[in-house]
Amino acid sequence: MKRVASCGVAFVGALGGFALASWILGMQSGGVIHSDVGRALFIAAFIVVGMIAALVLQRPALIIASATWGSYILFVGIDCFAHTGFQNTALAFLNTPGAVYVTSPKVYVMIGCMALSAVLGIVAQFRLTRKPKSAAFIPL
């Protein structure tokens, strides 16, 4: 059972690493790294670092990774309706044929809102999961 839990923890770390890598790559049209191999190595490195961090640090890494991934997916979902082009980050950076990633002011707003949402999620999760100072702790 412990191995299954460790795989889940590593998977959450990997998702957080992927979301952070996509966020960084999405800062510029065509991606911050223009080489396909360089992009793949960049994304793979963030995924591996996220997995290792989640396995070693557990609670803080899981909170940061889950908030980052949740924020990324939230704004990919919003972009399905808003059509800003933000969701093309994953498609373009994973070499989907015909996918083009172009930044615009709308995409930068989505990138900024994703960062804000992730920070709010991280703060909320740390506050809600902190150890109580007294027996009458109510996390509200």
Side-chain angles (χ1 to χ4, degrees):
M1 191 64 170
K2 186 169 175 127
R3 285 185 181 167
V4 173
S6 293
C7 287
V9 167
F11 186 68
V12 171
L15 290 175
F18 174 76
L20 187 58
S22 293
W23 183 76
I24 292 169
L25 288 172
M27 298 283 184
Q28 181 179 343
S29 290
V32 175
I33 299 172
H34 298 289
S35 161
D36 288 341
V37 174
R39 249 187 252 148
L41 291 174
F42 184 78
I43 292 171
F46 269 76
I47 288 172
V48 169
V49 167
M51 291 172 73
I52 293 170
L55 289 170
V56 173
L57 301 174
Q58 291 234 331
R59 182 180 169 266
L62 283 175
I63 287 173
I64 292 168
S66 65
T68 305
W69 173 252
S71 178
Y72 179 75
I73 275 309
L74 171 69
F75 282 93
V76 166
I78 290 171
D79 192 52
C80 288
F81 298 102
H83 301 292
T84 65
F86 178 76
Q87 68 180 341
N88 292 337
T89 56
L91 298 174
F93 300 148
L94 296 176
N95 284 331
T96 302
V100 178
Y101 179 70
V102 179
T103 55
S104 67
K106 291 178 182 178
V107 171
Y108 286 123
V109 167
M110 295 286 275
I111 289 171
C113 288
M114 180 200 151
L116 178 65
S117 172
V119 168
L120 291 174
I122 291 166
V123 169
Q125 287 185 60
F126 272 117
R127 288 184 57 108
L128 291 172
T129 61
R130 69 179 173 217
K131 293 184 177 158
K133 294 179 183 175
S134 68
F137 176 72
I138 299 173
L140 294 177

